[in-house]
Each structure stands twice: as C-alpha cells, then as structure tokens.
Amino acid sequence: MRKQKITVLILMITLCLTGIWGMKKNTTVWGAVIRVNDVIVPKDIPAVAVEINKSSELIAEKLSQVFYTVYTDTDTLHIPVFWDVSSVNMKLAGVYTMKGVLKLPPEYAFDESESLQVQTTVSVQYPDKPDINIYYRLTAAGIYIFPWLKQENFDSMEAYLKKESGQWINLTEEGFALCEEEGLYVSNQSMVVGNTYSLLVTYDNGRKQTNTLRFQYQKDGSLKIYGYQHSLLGNTQKPGKIICSYDTGDEKYLSRCAAYAVKTGGSLKQIEKELKENVRLRVSTAETFENTAENPELILESSWDLSRVNREKQGVYKVTGSFVIPEGYEVSDSLTLPEAYAYLSVQKKGEPQINTYSMPMVDLLEFPMLLDGFSAEERRNIQVYLSENGGNYRKIDDDLVEVTSAGIQIYYREILKKGQNYQICAVYEKGSTGIYSFSYNDAFIVNEYWHERNFSDREEKDLPDIVQKAPASSEVVQEEKKENLNTGSAGYHYGDSYGTDNNTDGQNSSSNKASDAKSAEISDTENFVTELSTDTITAVSGKRMLLMIQQNGSARFEKQGISVTFSPDTVNGWKINAEDEIQIGIEKTSETAFSLRIFVRGEKVTEIPGTVVEFQASVFGGIQLPETVKAEDVQGNQYAVNYQEKQNVLRMEINQTGDYFLTDGESENIGDQTVEDSVEAISDGENIGFTEEPMPEEETEQKTEQKTENSAKQFLMIILTLPAVCILVAAIIFAIRKKRR
C-alpha cells in the first residue's frame, strides 16, 4: 500500500512538472524569414581565359570577386555569384558562354531570385599561344580587355587595328593599346561607331601573331563579333601630317577662354604662362575631326600677345592667342584655325570690380576680381546681386555662387534666361563693385558694358551716417535705374534671392544700403533727411518709403537675417510726408526671440496689421524642429508660423510691434529674454517646462490591447500553475505524515 501511494505521488509530481514545462514550451517564438528589399546585379563581369585540360575550378576562382549586393531592412550583404561551369569543355579549346545565378542563404527570401541571372564568356586556350577571342568592358574607363593566359614576354607584344578597306595601324605605338601579362587593353577612342575593324597581336618580337578578331563597334559600346580566324598582318601605315580639321565643340569657349584680374603695375608673366598651359586646340588629320587610331588627335599649344595691356591704367583689355603648329606638321590650305581671346581687367588694390567674364567650363561663368588683401572670411561675406530686365536686385543663393581668390563663379544655367538683360554687382564690407550689364542669348553674353560705383553704399554698424536730400520723383528714379546710377539708402531695392524658385518664400536680402556720396554736395536750401543703415536700424525718408510702395508694391527691410515686409495699407496708415524720417529697428534678442520697433517722425508705431516676418530656421540657434515652431508676443497672443521646407524658411504674420518669442516641439521653453517685462509676462502662472505629446488614438488602442492580452496570458499561467503547486505541496505533507506514523 505504501509503495502504491509513493508511486501515485511520483506520478502526480511528474504530471505537474510536465504541465509547467509544456506551458513554457508553448511560449517559444521561432525566427521569421529575412526579406530582401533590393538586389544590385554585378556589372562589367570579367571574361576568363583558362588553360586547356585543367580543372574547371580555375574558372570559379577567377570569378570569385564577382558579387551580388543584397539589401535587407538592416543589412547589406555581398553574395558571390554561383557559376554553372558545366557548359565549358575544358578538353577542347574555344569560346564558351557561362551563366551565373544568385543563391540566397536559407534564412533569406526574395521572390525574384530565380530570375536574377548574369553571364560571361570563357576562352579555353593552349599555353604559350595567346588568343584574343573574347572581351569584357570597363565601361567607366572606356577600355576593352581581351584576356589571355599569363604571358612572360608581353613587352615584345604589339597590337594592330585595321578599319575595313584600310591599312593596319600600330595601336601600341600610337598609345591606344597596351599589352599586359593578363591580356590586351584597347581604348574605345581608337574606333568610330559603326565601323568594322580587324584586330590582332604580334608576339616574340613580331615572329608570331594571334588569329584576327573581326568585329563591328556598335553604338551602345558593345563589339559585334563576326569571326576569329588566321590572317596576315599586311601593310601598315603611319597617321598623316596634314592637319585638316579641329574640334569645333570647343570653339565657342575660345572666344572667352579666360579672364584675369590684374593689379595696377603688376606682372603679366604668370598669366601668360597659365594661358599657354590651359588654352589648347585639338586638331586631326581627318576631314571631319576625330580621335581614332587611323586619325589620332593632335593637341596644339597657344601663344599670346599681351603687348596691348596697359598695366598702369584701370580698364579691360582683350588679348589674342594663336595656336602653334608642331614641327613636321602643316595645315591644309582649306582650313583656317580659330583664334583664342582672353580678357585682363586692371584694377586697383582694395577696389575690386566686376567688369568682364570668362567660361572656364560648361555651366560655369567666372567674373575675375582683384581680392588681394581680402581674408577667407571676408570673401565668404561677399554677397552677389543680380537684376533681370531692370527689375529689383536679388541676392544669388550661396549654392549657386562661389567667391574665390580669383573672383566670382556662378552656375549660370540655374539663373540666366536667354533673351533677357542683366546687371550684376557684388557688395563687400567696405563698398561694392561696379555694375556689369549684359544680355544673354545663344551667343551667350553680348552688348556688355560697365558702370563704376563709389564705395560709400555699404551696410555696416560702424560706418558714418549719410546725409542727403529726399529721393527724386519716380520718373527720375526710373531713369537712374536705366543708367545704373541708383542713389539713396539702398542704391537698389533687393527682392527675392536667385536659386529659391524666384518666389516670395525665398530668403530675402537686405533692402537698404547707404547712398551715393555725391548727395553731400546738395544746397543748404533744400530739405535734408538723415538716412542711415546699421546692423539693427534702417532710417529712410518718407519720400523713399512711398517710392518703395509705389514701385515694389510693399516695403521690405531685413536685419540679422530677419525680413519684415509692410503692406501699402499699413504704410499709408502712418500718413507720412516726403521729408519725414522713418526708423525701422529689427533685432535678434536671443536664440529664440526677436524685436521689431518703428518710429515715424520720432513717434512710436504699434499697430502694423498684415505685416509679414520671414527668416531661415538657421537664424535662431534655439530652433530644433522648424516644422513645429510657434510664436508668442509679450501679451501671450499666439501666432501661427508657416514652415517652407524647400527653402528652410519660416513665415509668420503679425499685427503689432514689440518682442516675439519662438518655441518648437523639441522644447516648449521660451528662451532667455532681454526685456524684463517680457519675462514677467510669461512667468506669471504659465508652465514653460517640457510637455508630453499625446499619444495617437490608434497607437493607444493597440498598446491597450497588447497589455490586455499579456495580462490575460499571465493570469492564465497563474491559474494553471497554482493547482499543480498546491497538489505538490499536499503530496509532500502527506508523505511526511505517513512516514511519522
């Protein structure tokens, strides 16, 4: 009886433990298959030359570095190609096509893996008898490689090419081919698309030769093979010595091949040296220019006459370059070689000018400027402005213009339109360049002329005020625009910047520069208005403000990267007269705040309905998430801020002057303020700490369901486990009590 009870007890314990183990086993989660998102098929796969009667493993060994690139959500894999070598008969010399496929590891899956197939060619060859019966391309380099078995005497090898019905040309001697120990390298420049060619290689110092490969050079760069059989080398020829053509593709740029800025009294030796090295002409012995084995190009150097440049007098000088014919060559009587032209701008140190240009390469326009004495930081601060058809000057975006030690470079295809007239100038710390005017059409730039500028129209906080009379009437101002002799605090009214889709969402440049110094000569009997421009304040006359509204439809001012635009209704509400003085103060007071102050006739203006404020997100260092920015004034009024992602510009509309504070979704803290009453306003009963963003409703429901499901599972495990534990405890107690008896 006792043994039976003990047996029953052991059985119950076993059942309990089995139940607990079974519950643990059922919670095991097996790993899912890893899905492949994308596969890049290998390109420029090598062709392979192998020795006859050897193992086919040599083929796979030579192709071991050919991989498929496989992408998953988390990894990038490089998987070798699996090559089917069964199609290659290693006991019979010849050419074979071999296929390769992608085989993914078992834990990866890609629906289209079966269709991802590549192929290459294999040449089975005899030792010491090179063949050129297969090829592969290095597409980016324009090279064709014909592999053979490793050669020890490749220095004695030479490649020859013959156009159909032509004569053999030594490619190696002319520099179009190279024989190496692993194969023959041939440049695609040795051939013309559509022609049929024959190719062979001699070795053992010309005593032996390969068979001849006959093929057509096709438009897509591939070689259409017609046959590979024995033929004799035959007669060879050298390229001709009569120059019959030149590369007309570069002819357009020869008229403006270079431009330099020269310091008055400076030397021209370095410029002459650079012109000789950089300006060259490609010519050919073919009737129509080509660079092939039969008619290889010849590069002519240039020679320059700089005698007409007056280094002591400012101005632009045109110099002429001609091309030097090498000894042994002559120019055909029917050919006239073009001349090259460069321009030298003689400038005074400290007074850089924009008054000529060149085209050093496609899409690039270069205006030389003398920037001796300008530091790298000063060059970076130079701003370039462009006016189209007499319109407002707009700043060219930094990604479309570059200021180097040699001058200004712009990517003109993004800026200029054919058939339009343009004026360009640059503003730097102590002044501005002259205005260069030109028309842009198919001949590029024509009707070019230049107007000198004085150096008083600048915008810096430590410069003196400029006293002048109120601006002239609209008709006079329009006439001055035509003559590029703009006066007043701006000199120009700057509108939107180039490179930002030419719309009002772009970053606006400064609307105010100091005026022409000649206005200091006006009569004492006329009305005077002090107009100034500092880093935070612009003061203009009432006449100028009214002209801005009349000619531009709004009045725009910018300071420290913050642009403020007033509507005509707002300005008209100030009831200003021509001789009134208007002061606009725009200042960034912290990394999350700015202020706007306006005074008309010395009286403070508060109401400015419909006024638009714009700035790039980078202006305020406290902004981390520009798409979530909000604004608030000292009274606690909220203002919507619109984020223009393409231009990285924030735009808001305000209706009164004062201080404004910015917040974003990263931090609801309002930054350090500079106005005491503003701090009091925002700290009175307002929580300015971090806030937790509410969870989306759908996500909340999913998390709630998941928690409920997990709780149910845990409860079920407790219910199932508890009886087993109780039975186990009871059985142990029962056994102990029996033993005591």
Side-chain angles (χ1 to χ4, degrees):
M1 186 71 178
R2 183 178 179 183
K3 289 184 178 179
Q4 291 177 349
K5 290 181 178 179
I6 293 174
T7 302
V8 171
L9 176 62
I10 294 173
L11 179 62
M12 292 177 63
I13 293 173
T14 303
L15 289 173
C16 291
L17 293 175
T18 303
I20 296 173
W21 176 82
M23 285 187 291
K24 293 178 74 175
K25 181 178 180 182
N26 291 337
T27 60
T28 300
V29 179
W30 298 100
V33 174
I34 301 174
R35 305 300 299 179
V36 173
N37 297 330
D38 194 16
V39 175
I40 296 180
V41 179
K43 303 295 183 183
D44 292 348
I45 300 174
V48 177
V50 292
E51 186 177 343
I52 192 169
N53 295 325
K54 295 290 185 179
S55 171
S56 60
E57 292 181 359
L58 291 173
I59 301 173
E61 182 180 334
K62 291 191 174 186
L63 294 172
S64 61
Q65 298 303 312
V66 180
F67 296 92
Y68 283 94
T69 303
V70 176
Y71 296 94
T72 70
D73 287 336
T74 57
D75 298 310
T76 300
L77 308 176
H78 299 289
I79 300 179
V81 178
F82 177 80
W83 295 101
D84 180 11
V85 298
S86 62
S87 60
V88 181
N89 186 349
M90 297 297 294
K91 298 183 181 299
L92 181 64
V95 174
Y96 301 89
T97 299
M98 184 178 64
K99 299 184 182 301
V101 297
L102 167 64
K103 287 194 174 181
L104 290 170
E107 65 269 25
Y108 293 88
F110 183 65
D111 296 338
E112 301 178 4
S113 60
E114 295 301 324
S115 63
L116 292 175
Q117 181 174 278
V118 292
Q119 69 178 33
T120 189
T121 51
V122 178
S123 175
V124 179
Q125 303 181 11
Y126 287 97
D128 300 324
K129 188 182 177 182
D131 277 317
I132 53 170
N133 51 7
I134 59 173
Y135 79 96
Y136 66 98
R137 298 167 61 191
L138 296 180
T139 307
I143 298 293
Y144 297 89
I145 301 177
F146 301 82
W148 52 44
L149 298 181
K150 187 174 181 179
Q151 300 296 312
E152 302 296 337
N153 62 342
F154 62 90
D155 287 335
S156 68
M157 306 175 80
E158 292 184 324
Y160 290 84
L161 184 73
K162 180 173 73 72
K163 188 172 69 173
E164 196 87 333
S165 71
Q167 291 186 326
W168 292 98
I169 301 292
N170 189 327
L171 291 182
T172 310
E173 187 176 288
E174 298 299 331
F176 288 99
L178 181 65
C179 296
E180 292 288 335
E181 62 180 3
E182 299 292 343
L184 168 66
Y185 293 72
V186 177
S187 170
N188 63 354
Q189 291 185 347
S190 61
M191 301 172 286
V192 174
V193 171
N195 286 345
T196 299
Y197 294 93
S198 296
L199 177 69
L200 63 81
V201 174
T202 63
Y203 56 100
D204 284 349
N205 294 315
R207 289 188 292 270
K208 298 178 182 179
Q209 71 173 56
T210 66
N211 287 338
T212 301
L213 182 69
R214 186 169 175 269
F215 61 88
Q216 184 187 51
Y217 181 33
Q218 300 192 106
K219 187 176 182 179
D220 63 357
S222 64
L223 307 182
K224 183 178 181 181
I225 307 298
Y226 290 132
Y228 184 66
Q229 60 189 16
H230 179 73
S231 66
L232 297 177
L233 177 59
N235 296 327
T236 61
Q237 74 174 31
K238 295 281 187 180
K241 298 291 185 179
I242 306 297
I243 298 173
C244 299
S245 60
Y246 62 88
D247 184 7
T248 57
D250 293 335
E251 189 171 14
K252 173 181 178 181
Y253 301 96
L254 292 178
S255 63
R256 281 281 178 180
C257 59
Y260 296 89
V262 184
K263 181 171 60 177
T264 52
S267 173
L268 304 180
K269 289 184 178 180
Q270 183 61 31
I271 293 176
E272 184 176 11
K273 179 182 178 182
E274 290 185 17
L275 286 171
K276 285 183 177 181
E277 293 176 350
N278 298 333
V279 181
R280 301 185 178 188
L281 181 66
R282 300 195 303 159
V283 298
S284 172
T285 57
E287 290 296 328
T288 301
F289 176 81
E290 64 180 44
N291 180 25
T292 64
E294 191 174 22
N295 294 290
E297 70 174 18
L298 181 67
I299 299 178
L300 304 184
E301 295 184 348
S302 58
S303 176
W304 294 85
D305 178 14
L306 307 183
S307 61
R308 296 186 179 181
V309 179
N310 186 347
R311 293 174 293 159
E312 306 302 325
K313 183 179 180 181
Q314 295 183 80
V316 177
Y317 299 88
K318 181 178 180 180
V319 296
T320 305
S322 58
F323 295 98
V324 181
I325 308 301
E327 186 177 354
Y329 286 84
E330 58 183 270
V331 179
S332 170
D333 294 337
S334 61
L335 178 67
T336 301
L337 295 178
E339 290 183 315
Y341 299 99
Y343 293 79
L344 272 61
S345 173
V346 179
Q347 303 178 12
K348 287 184 179 180
K349 184 176 181 179
E351 298 182 7
Q353 302 295 336
I354 296 180
N355 53 13
T356 189
Y357 77 97
S358 67
M359 294 180 292
M361 60 184 68
V362 176
D363 292 338
L364 191 65
L365 186 63
E366 186 172 75
F367 299 91
M369 291 200 311
L370 184 66
L371 294 174
D372 285 5
F374 281 70
S375 66
E377 180 66 23
E378 288 172 331
R379 290 199 299 269
R380 283 193 294 270
N381 291 332
I382 292 177
Q383 297 178 328
V384 185
Y385 294 92
L386 191 70
S387 168
E388 181 177 297
N389 294 331
N392 296 335
Y393 278 79
R394 294 180 290 180
K395 180 179 177 291
I396 302 178
D397 277 359
D398 292 340
D399 58 346
L400 296 177
V401 64
E402 182 178 2
V403 180
T404 68
S405 59
I408 293 172
Q409 295 179 343
I410 66 171
Y411 298 92
Y412 63 87
R413 292 188 186 274
E414 301 290 333
I415 301 173
L416 304 182
K417 302 173 186 176
K418 290 183 179 179
Q420 307 303 310
N421 300 315
Y422 293 94
Q423 297 173 333
I424 187 171
C425 69
V427 176
Y428 52 95
E429 181 180 0
K430 297 181 180 179
S432 63
T433 67
I435 303 169
Y436 189 53
S437 303
F438 59 88
S439 299
Y440 174 54
N441 60 14
D442 289 331
F444 201 62
I445 286 182
V446 295
N447 301 326
E448 54 200 272
Y449 55 96
W450 173 74
H451 295 287
E452 188 175 7
R453 291 277 297 276
N454 63 66
F455 300 93
S456 61
D457 50 345
R458 55 209 177 188
E459 180 179 9
E460 291 295 326
K461 57 187 176 182
D462 58 347
L463 299 180
D465 300 343
I466 296 174
V467 180
Q468 64 172 44
K469 66 177 180 179
S473 65
S474 175
E475 292 78 15
V476 175
V477 170
Q478 291 294 343
E479 186 63 24
E480 288 178 340
K481 274 190 174 183
K482 295 179 182 178
E483 298 178 0
N484 303 300
L485 296 174
N486 303 273
T487 62
S489 67
Y492 314 102
H493 171 71
Y494 298 123
D496 306 324
S497 63
Y498 278 93
T500 52
D501 295 338
N502 295 337
N503 58 33
T504 56
D505 293 332
Q507 182 184 7
N508 299 316
S509 55
S510 174
S511 63
N512 288 280
K513 299 288 175 188
S515 66
D516 195 327
K518 294 179 181 179
S519 58
E521 301 173 358
I522 59 177
S523 169
D524 294 338
T525 60
E526 298 182 78
N527 292 328
F528 288 82
V529 175
T530 299
E531 296 195 337
L532 63 87
S533 185
T534 72
D535 63 329
T536 59
I537 297 174
T538 293
V540 297
S541 67
K543 181 68 174 181
R544 186 174 307 284
M545 180 69 82
L546 295 175
L547 284 175
M548 293 170 67
I549 294 295
Q550 177 185 344
Q551 297 176 18
N552 303 301
S554 63
R556 179 181 291 131
F557 299 85
E558 180 187 355
K559 298 293 178 185
Q560 301 181 336
I562 306 168
S563 170
V564 179
T565 304
F566 303 102
S567 68
D569 291 339
T570 297
V571 175
N572 291 336
W574 299 342
K575 296 181 171 34
I576 57 179
N577 299 312
E579 64 275 12
D580 291 338
E581 181 182 278
I582 297 94
Q583 289 191 13
I584 311 293
I586 306 169
E587 184 176 7
K588 185 176 79 169
T589 55
S590 78
E591 289 303 318
T592 54
F594 68 92
S595 70
L596 172 63
R597 300 286 189 272
I598 302 173
F599 294 89
V600 177
R601 296 179 295 273
E603 298 179 1
K604 184 177 180 180
V605 173
T606 56
E607 301 298 321
I608 48 170
T611 297
V612 175
V613 179
E614 292 175 300
F615 49 86
Q616 285 196 329
S618 58
V619 170
F620 293 92
I623 294 177
Q624 304 299 321
L625 298 174
E627 61 272 16
T628 65
V629 169
K630 294 179 289 186
E632 183 178 88
D633 61 19
V634 293
Q635 286 81 31
N637 300 314
Q638 300 286 329
Y639 295 84
V641 180
N642 181 25
Y643 178 52
Q644 305 291 333
E645 184 176 2
K646 185 176 181 181
Q647 290 81 28
N648 194 30
V649 169
L650 293 163
R651 184 179 187 274
M652 58 183 289
E653 188 172 308
I654 61 177
N655 53 26
Q656 62 182 0
T657 59
D659 294 275
Y660 290 85
F661 312 100
L662 307 174
T663 61
D664 63 14
E666 182 72 15
S667 170
E668 293 296 332
N669 283 321
I670 296 177
D672 298 334
Q673 311 301 333
T674 58
V675 184
E676 293 182 359
D677 58 341
S678 302
V679 176
E680 294 174 359
I682 65 169
S683 62
D684 185 14
E686 182 176 352
N687 179 14
I688 59 174
F690 290 99
T691 58
E692 184 175 351
E693 208 170 318
M695 186 179 298
E697 183 178 349
E698 182 180 351
E699 186 177 347
T700 304
E701 292 177 358
Q702 290 176 354
K703 291 194 174 184
T704 302
E705 291 174 4
Q706 186 176 358
K707 288 181 179 178
T708 304
E709 184 179 349
N710 292 340
S711 300
K713 288 181 180 179
Q714 293 174 0
F715 180 73
L716 179 61
M717 289 183 65
I718 293 172
I719 293 300
L720 293 174
T721 306
L722 185 59
V725 174
C726 293
I727 293 171
L728 177 61
V729 172
I732 293 172
I733 294 172
F734 176 78
I736 293 173
R737 293 177 64 183
K738 277 288 184 182
K739 186 176 180 180
R740 287 178 178 176
R741 289 178 185 178

